[in-house]
Amino acid sequence: MKANLPIRSRTRRWILSSFLLLAGPLVFAQIAVTGTITDGTDGSPLPGANVAIKGSTQAVMTDVDGKYSITVPAKETILVFSFIGKISKEVIVADQTVINVNLEDETTSLSEIVVVGYGTAKRKDLTGSVASIASKDLNPGINPNPLQAIQGKVAGLVITQPSGDPNQNPTVRLRGYTSLAGGSDPLYVVDGMIGVPISSVSPNDIETMDVLKDASAAAIYGSRAANGVILITTKRGKVGAPTISFDNYIGTSLISRRYNLFDGPGYIDAVRRIKGESALSDGLRFPKDASGNYYNTDWIKEITQNAFVHNHDLSIAGGSTGLTYRGSVNYLNQEGLVKYTGLNRATARINLDQKAFDNRLNIQYNLVYTETKNKYDIGAIERATTFLPTLPIRNQDGSYYEVLGNFSLFNPVAMIENYTNQQNKKLTQGGLNLRYEILDGLTLGVNGQLQRESGVSEFWTNPNIKAFQGNNGRASKSYWEGHSKLMEVTANYYKNLAGESNFAILAGYSYQQNDNSGFQAANSGFVTDFVTIDNLGLGSGTLINPSNNYATSYRNQAKLISFFGRGTLNLNDRYNLTATIRQDGSSKFGKNNKWGLFPSFGAGWIISNEEFFGEPTGLNYLKLRVGWGQTGNSEGINPYNSIMLYGPSGTYYDGSVGDFLPGYAITQNANPNLKWEVLETTNVGLDFQIMSGRFSGTVEWYNKLTKDMLYNYSVPANGVDYFTGSILANVGSMKNSGVEFSFGGAVVEKPKFTWTPQLVVSYNKNKVVSLSNDQFQTGQIRFNPFGGRGLSDVFASYLTPGRPLGEFNNVPSFLEFNSNGEVVMKGGDGQGTTDVSKSDAYVAVEAGNPIGQGNPQPFLTGALSNNFTFGNFDLNFQLRGTFGNSILNNIRNNLMIPGSILETNMLEDMNDLPDNYNTNRLTTMWIENGSFVRLDNWQIGYNVPVKSKNLSRARIYLGGNNLLLFTKYKGIDPELQTKGDLESNSSQRPNALGLDYSTVYPKTRSFQLGVNLTF
């Protein structure tokens, strides 16, 4: 045995030496790698991010500053960088010892967290139709309203900015028109607060916007969700060192398109040709200067300006694991195209998040203050369009030049320099959201919100100015305020089951109270223009022309109590079931319908996870969703609409005082059956991903039926059943059905070049189903008034069951002009006629089968967004369009009448019409194709390489809005106001739809230069 020991000893040494020889390079080749992981959205550090060696279990996490240090065995090692909600990245170490990584949001991932109302869900578990837009995907450019920032981003969500007026809010319609008197705007929820004014939110504060499009997703909000729900989540702090962000831009806006009106010489030539040389002897319309020359004034130029805008946003965020914070201040100053108009807004927001008791207790605090000043136009664009170009701005004595004795020509410069029309608004909102996990999986929540909004409006016109002499220089001042209180209590239980299964149950109670009040005082007949609105008692109007509208006030209150619940079941990562129910009780409803019940159901099937689907090839993900539900629309019901009201009605003579006193009478009929509109929706969706998730898309079909539609019906005031001539009731129905398609992904994905487009397309078909029943009849509802010289009580549309809302079905077909300059229309017998009562449109309406001459609703809307990166450069732009809609060009009609050449300026195109055409007529001659494609927004940026210890990100950019427009439409712009609801709560006439009329404020083309800095 001992003789063999040396041999064993030598063997051990040989084995050890061989091991060291082989292992030595591995031991001594280890490389220390350090770096920082940051958020690709804002450049802030990501604490808790994971850094792992691919193929091993070795990994480290970043510290509170996003920094890490890891030792790797070789240059060929691949490091995997990951963080929840971010797209993971793999990097080969090679010769690098410092590797800094930006992780982008995982927006196309199936694990993306989506806000769904009173909670969140993974995208792959959704059964309803929900679209999400992250802050980095918001539209660039000058967007004072958050809605402009998501224009063209969501299929089926049509957002229209009808003019360049910075004080005008966009019109929003989701999947078509669903109501007349009920309102068609979505419900806005900001950080859990229901009913926040969307215009008060700064786009820089937004983290995500989630759009609940169908009833399966939106029914949790009950009687206010029929038009969809837009949930806004604002940015919050993250664990780590403080980060300071400064975003600033300056810009300018100019008129994008304007009418080709006659200039001075062109107008004189047209008058000479049509009216003869003698017409130029009119010294009022054709004055001459001291040199004996005619004037040549561009009135549009005189009242407009290249509008300047500047926006400044400063935020600070950070915190520890127990408390995070984010505070921001935003200031926007945007001038209007029309001089002395504009928007001025300041916003301050602070969000705090607190965790305690091993993260079982989570508290969110929100506080925001917004102050806005609006300076409004007074209709000067309309007057500048028609005022004669041969007139000077002022007389030789400095007074404003006017055409005396004419009641349609007013000096627009005099108007804009002698009026006040402004409003100052203040909004304060505070909220607390508390969630406590009392048992594993069982979380109780309390959400409390307070909101106070107030405003002061001031209006004054100078009585010495011709345009304002009609109201005798009226001045008024008003104050209003609104208070909203919201308290919600929820209980949510979540349980993981075996495998990839789980279920959740939500139950909740909600109470919201809205109080509104206000008053106004007015007067007229001021002897001086010096005091404007500062001393209303100096006016003589209250003495000379007594009325009860010089001082008014109001107060109202509405309460909504709700119980709601939701259950979700996800089985084997294949099957998803969702059921929601909400019961709303509202003080606005009639006594027989105080409570409404709104159920919904949804199911999802991830087909690609089934065994029969096989191994993924090109198509790696496929999911079918089906949903049905009912939501309500009560926004068109004002407080006290369901009860009988008394109000002032005429006067009566009181002999005891020897004077007339105000009388009182019933001013509103009671309707104990008044309730919400019901919108029943069926939705079928197909979600898919191809090429390992590189591209993703959705196809959806929906059918929406509005029942119990609200409308103001005429009734006989017999003193028994009804005491006034109208009543708000639930009668009619309207239908929308359509298909939506969205698709996008990374077409090119290289280290130094990427191209990521996103396409959204939607088709919608709208139809009015019914308007009357056995109890209430509408008769003929006329709207889209076609106005102008020589026209009275002329309407282009009848609201007709079986037809689209707004259809031009009362427009005679144009054939030609006869030798006398008269319009020849197609008659009911197919022959030509100059008599409107014998035209094809008139005969068809009388026969009960109107002729559809055009639909103002497009059959197709779409947008294509493109995002490029090239090294340190980035470029993004969006093309957006609508197709298949018609526009009735009422403005062009009124500016193309040779016979009225002395009464208004005209378009140069008027020269193409017969000189003896002088009788205004509504015909198809003025219906045009409203389709367009617009380069909506664009921005090119450069990320400046940063080597400073304090500055982590610097980016400069150049961008703008509305650079190009492709259309055949001859008006200023084909994108018009698209409300389609009633003109007021008491009106029976819908707002104009597809009608281009005289009050259009021009669209803008804007350019901006900005910088983003993160410290």
Side-chain angles (χ1 to χ4, degrees):
M1 295 285 293
K2 291 181 180 180
N4 293 332
L5 285 177
I7 298 174
R8 292 181 178 178
S9 179
R10 287 195 299 271
T11 302
R12 291 192 187 99
R13 292 193 193 99
W14 181 82
I15 294 173
L16 179 60
S17 299
S18 300
F19 176 79
L20 291 174
L21 184 64
L22 294 172
L26 298 177
V27 174
F28 294 107
Q30 289 186 332
I31 303 169
V33 179
T34 61
T36 304
I37 302 179
T38 55
D39 191 321
T41 302
D42 56 16
S44 61
L46 287 177
N50 191 64
V51 184
I53 296 177
K54 189 173 183 179
S56 77
T57 58
Q58 184 179 349
V60 297
M61 295 183 70
T62 57
D63 61 17
V64 292
D65 297 319
K67 299 183 182 297
Y68 74 92
S69 177
I70 190 172
T71 301
V72 301
K75 295 181 179 181
E76 295 77 19
T77 302
I78 298 175
L79 290 179
V80 181
F81 300 87
S82 61
F83 188 81
I84 296 175
K86 301 290 183 181
I87 300 174
S88 299
K89 283 189 176 180
E90 296 184 1
V91 179
I92 300 175
V93 174
D95 294 323
Q96 305 175 89
T97 58
V98 177
I99 302 177
N100 297 323
V101 174
N102 286 327
L103 295 183
E104 301 291 341
D105 288 343
E106 200 172 22
T107 55
T108 59
S109 171
L110 300 176
S111 61
E112 175 192 358
I113 301 299
V114 177
V115 179
V116 293
Y118 301 102
T120 58
K122 291 183 179 180
R123 178 161 294 282
K124 69 183 183 66
D125 295 334
L126 292 177
T127 59
S129 181
V130 181
S132 300
I133 307 98
S135 58
K136 70 180 184 63
D137 296 321
L138 297 177
N139 289 326
I142 300 173
N143 299 312
N145 192 300
L147 295 172
Q148 295 168 267
I150 61 171
Q151 191 175 31
K153 296 295 184 181
V154 178
L157 183 67
V158 179
I159 299 174
T160 304
Q161 185 67 33
S163 77
D165 186 351
N167 296 305
Q168 184 173 33
N169 289 327
T171 302
V172 185
R173 295 295 178 263
L174 179 62
R175 292 181 166 181
Y177 296 88
T178 58
S179 178
L180 292 175
S184 295
D185 290 323
L187 177 69
Y188 301 106
V189 182
V190 180
D191 289 334
M193 181 60 183
I194 300 174
V196 175
I198 188 68
S199 60
S200 68
V201 181
S202 168
N204 294 78
D205 286 332
I206 295 175
E207 181 70 25
T208 61
M209 296 180 73
D210 297 274
V211 183
L212 313 184
K213 298 199 290 183
D214 72 335
S216 176
I220 196 72
Y221 287 101
S223 63
R224 294 173 290 182
N227 301 312
V229 181
I230 297 181
L231 307 174
I232 297 177
T233 303
T234 59
K235 295 175 181 177
R236 313 195 73 84
K238 300 176 182 178
V239 176
T243 60
I244 300 175
S245 296
F246 177 65
D247 298 326
N248 176 81
Y249 69 76
I250 58 174
T252 184
S253 299
L254 55 145
I255 297 177
S256 59
R257 294 177 68 182
R258 52 176 294 180
Y259 283 114
N260 291 323
L261 297 164
F262 283 124
D263 61 5
Y267 180 75
I268 290 173
D269 290 343
V271 170
R272 182 181 290 116
R273 187 186 75 247
I274 297 170
K275 298 294 184 179
E277 186 71 32
S278 60
L280 300 180
S281 62
D282 183 349
L284 282 177
R285 288 175 170 79
F286 303 96
K288 295 181 180 181
D289 60 19
S291 301
N293 299 316
Y294 291 114
Y295 290 94
N296 182 16
T297 306
D298 185 342
W299 291 103
I300 297 292
K301 183 178 180 181
E302 292 297 331
I303 68 165
T304 59
Q305 62 187 350
N306 288 341
F308 180 69
V309 59
H310 55 104
N311 181 85
H312 316 276
D313 188 87
L314 178 67
S315 66
I316 181 170
S320 63
T321 54
L323 178 66
T324 59
Y325 59 88
R326 184 183 186 275
S328 66
V329 178
N330 176 266
Y331 176 73
L332 170 70
N333 189 316
Q334 184 176 9
E335 295 179 340
L337 284 176
V338 178
K339 294 176 181 178
Y340 314 115
T341 66
L343 167 67
N344 195 313
R345 183 183 68 204
T347 302
R349 180 183 297 272
I350 183 168
N351 291 341
L352 301 177
D353 293 82
Q354 188 174 12
K355 298 178 183 292
F357 305 128
D358 297 326
N359 293 335
R360 285 184 175 269
L361 176 63
N362 293 269
I363 307 176
Q364 290 184 339
Y365 307 89
N366 310 309
L367 181 63
V368 61
Y369 175 79
T370 300
E371 190 165 327
T372 306
K373 184 173 184 178
N374 308 95
K375 292 185 177 180
Y376 300 105
D377 178 38
I378 198 167
I381 287 287
E382 177 185 354
R383 297 305 179 183
T385 301
T386 58
F387 209 51
L388 306 183
T390 54
L391 306 178
I393 299 173
R394 294 180 181 271
N395 296 302
Q396 292 183 359
D397 61 1
S399 61
Y400 296 105
Y401 190 93
E402 297 284 3
V403 181
L404 301 178
N406 185 286
F407 300 102
S408 60
L409 293 174
F410 302 104
N411 189 324
V413 174
M415 293 175 64
I416 66 171
E417 293 181 352
N418 291 273
Y419 84 101
T420 299
N421 186 14
Q422 63 185 29
Q423 181 175 229
N424 293 291
K425 294 182 291 186
K426 297 179 181 179
L427 171 72
T428 304
Q429 179 197 339
L432 180 147
N433 191 306
L434 183 150
R435 300 185 307 279
Y436 184 63
E437 189 177 8
I438 58 174
L439 298 172
D440 289 343
L442 178 60
T443 302
L444 299 183
V446 176
N447 177 37
Q449 305 275 347
L450 294 175
Q451 178 176 296
R452 181 180 185 272
E453 187 178 16
S454 63
V456 176
S457 297
E458 298 174 341
F459 181 84
W460 168 80
T461 55
N462 189 338
N464 299 316
I465 300 303
K466 179 186 174 187
F468 305 137
Q469 290 174 351
N471 62 16
N472 201 19
R474 188 177 180 88
S476 66
K477 190 168 186 175
S478 62
Y479 174 82
W480 56 269
E481 66 178 23
H483 297 263
S484 182
K485 306 172 185 177
L486 175 69
M487 174 62 69
E488 296 175 323
V489 180
T490 59
N492 188 61
Y493 182 71
Y494 178 86
K495 178 69 173 178
N496 280 317
L497 304 175
E500 296 288 331
S501 301
N502 58 74
F503 75 90
I505 298 175
L506 168 73
Y509 164 82
S510 176
Y511 171 86
Q512 187 165 13
Q513 176 178 316
N514 295 311
D515 294 273
N516 299 284
S517 62
F519 64 89
Q520 70 94 28
N523 210 339
S524 61
F526 296 90
V527 296
T528 175
D529 60 3
F530 177 73
V531 295
T532 64
I533 59 168
D534 296 327
N535 192 339
L536 296 177
L538 292 180
S540 60
T542 53
L543 300 174
I544 297 176
N545 185 25
S547 172
N548 60 8
N549 65 356
Y550 285 108
T552 60
S553 63
Y554 69 91
R555 179 181 295 275
N556 59 61
Q557 183 183 85
K559 296 180 180 180
L560 182 72
I561 298 176
S562 308
F563 301 91
F564 55 89
R566 176 173 59 217
T568 60
L569 176 63
N570 303 307
L571 293 173
N572 301 324
D573 202 23
R574 297 180 185 178
Y575 315 110
N576 314 111
L577 296 174
T578 303
T580 64
I581 191 168
R582 178 161 178 144
Q583 188 174 35
D584 281 348
S586 173
S587 62
K588 297 193 297 184
F589 301 157
K591 65 179 182 180
N592 296 336
N593 287 303
K594 283 296 183 185
W595 291 89
L597 191 66
F598 307 96
S600 76
F601 305 94
W605 176 27
I606 305 178
I607 303 171
S608 55
N609 284 354
E610 296 288 355
E611 293 183 1
F612 64 77
F613 194 79
E615 290 295 323
T617 52
L619 180 65
N620 62 280
Y621 178 79
L622 185 65
K623 179 177 180 177
L624 176 66
R625 292 179 286 105
V626 179
W628 173 90
Q630 291 183 338
T631 50
N633 185 6
S634 60
E635 296 307 288
I637 304 176
N638 289 338
Y640 318 133
N641 263 164
S642 66
I643 61 177
M644 183 181 294
L645 295 180
Y646 284 81
S649 178
T651 59
Y652 69 96
Y653 185 80
D654 190 325
S656 63
V657 297
D659 207 343
F660 286 91
L661 298 181
Y664 299 91
I666 296 174
T667 57
Q668 177 179 284
N669 291 308
N671 184 358
N673 297 315
L674 186 66
K675 63 176 184 178
W676 56 97
E677 296 178 337
V678 176
L679 184 67
E680 186 172 289
T681 304
T682 301
N683 192 90
V684 179
L686 195 65
D687 305 324
F688 62 91
Q689 289 189 356
I690 60 176
M691 298 179 65
S692 300
R694 186 169 175 176
F695 297 92
S696 62
T698 298
V699 180
E700 296 197 84
W701 171 85
Y702 61 87
N703 186 70
K704 300 168 58 175
L705 179 64
T706 304
K707 299 184 291 186
D708 299 326
M709 194 163 63
L710 291 163
Y711 187 74
N712 292 306
Y713 288 87
S714 297
V715 292
N718 54 22
V720 179
D721 301 310
Y722 307 106
F723 299 88
T724 63
S726 68
I727 188 171
L728 182 65
N730 303 89
V731 176
S733 58
M734 189 182 300
K735 181 180 179 181
N736 289 272
S737 58
V739 177
E740 298 169 351
F741 174 73
S742 61
F743 182 76
V747 175
V748 180
E749 197 171 24
K750 301 293 184 182
K752 292 190 176 182
F753 178 70
T754 64
W755 173 28
T756 308
Q758 176 74 26
L759 174 68
V760 296
V761 179
S762 60
Y763 160 83
N764 184 75
K765 183 178 180 181
N766 169 270
K767 181 175 69 174
V768 177
V769 178
S770 65
L771 294 168
S772 304
N773 61 13
D774 294 337
Q775 184 178 3
F776 298 106
Q777 306 290 323
T778 59
Q780 289 185 331
I781 303 174
R782 303 182 301 168
F783 70 111
N784 278 333
F786 191 78
R789 189 172 303 277
L791 295 175
S792 177
D793 202 34
V794 176
F795 297 87
S797 302
Y798 283 95
L799 200 58
T800 307
R803 303 294 184 88
L805 176 67
E807 179 187 58
F808 300 126
N809 50 28
N810 189 37
V811 183
S813 300
F814 173 80
L815 293 180
E816 60 181 352
F817 292 100
N818 64 19
S819 58
N820 297 322
E822 296 174 307
V823 175
V824 179
M825 299 161 284
K826 183 179 180 180
D829 57 1
Q831 303 299 312
T833 180
T834 58
D835 187 346
V836 174
S837 65
K838 296 179 180 179
S839 67
D840 56 351
Y842 187 92
V843 172
V845 169
E846 290 296 306
N849 187 27
I851 301 172
Q853 302 281 29
N855 185 356
Q857 299 185 48
F859 74 86
L860 194 70
T861 60
L864 175 63
S865 304
N866 291 272
N867 294 278
F868 298 88
T869 63
F870 183 76
N872 289 338
F873 288 91
D874 58 81
L875 168 67
N876 54 74
F877 66 88
Q878 177 175 276
L879 294 167
R880 180 176 57 87
T882 67
F883 308 93
N885 59 304
S886 298
I887 295 176
L888 182 57
N889 198 338
N890 199 178
I891 296 180
R892 184 175 175 82
N893 160 75
N894 283 302
L895 298 176
M896 294 274 285
I897 307 174
S900 300
I901 186 69
L902 292 176
E903 307 304 322
T904 175
N905 195 9
M906 296 285 177
L907 295 173
E908 292 180 350
D909 288 349
M910 185 206 69
N911 289 328
D912 299 332
L913 300 182
D915 289 345
N916 57 355
Y917 166 49
N918 55 25
T919 304
N920 208 349
R921 283 284 183 267
L922 167 62
T923 69
T924 56
M925 179 181 180
W926 309 112
I927 294 180
E928 301 183 39
N929 184 353
S931 301
F932 71 87
V933 174
R934 189 191 307 276
L935 179 52
D936 228 4
N937 53 72
W938 60 278
Q939 189 178 98
I940 182 170
Y942 177 70
N943 293 282
V944 181
V946 174
K947 297 182 180 180
S948 170
K949 179 177 68 173
N950 297 320
L951 182 63
S952 60
R953 179 175 181 253
R955 178 177 178 267
I956 57 175
Y957 62 88
L958 177 68
N961 303 76
N962 191 25
L963 183 63
L964 296 171
L965 175 65
F966 305 95
T967 183
K968 294 181 179 180
Y969 182 60
K970 298 176 183 178
I972 290 180
D973 197 282
E975 194 165 15
L976 307 178
Q977 183 66 270
T978 58
K979 284 187 174 181
D981 50 4
L982 295 186
E983 293 176 342
S984 67
N985 186 256
S986 59
S987 173
Q988 292 183 317
R989 180 187 300 167
N991 279 294
L993 195 60
L995 181 69
D996 197 350
Y997 51 100
S998 59
T999 56
V1000 171
Y1001 191 110
K1003 275 272 201 178
T1004 61
R1005 176 168 294 126
S1006 62
F1007 301 90
Q1008 64 172 167
L1009 177 65
V1011 60
N1012 308 127
L1013 301 175
T1014 303
F1015 299 90

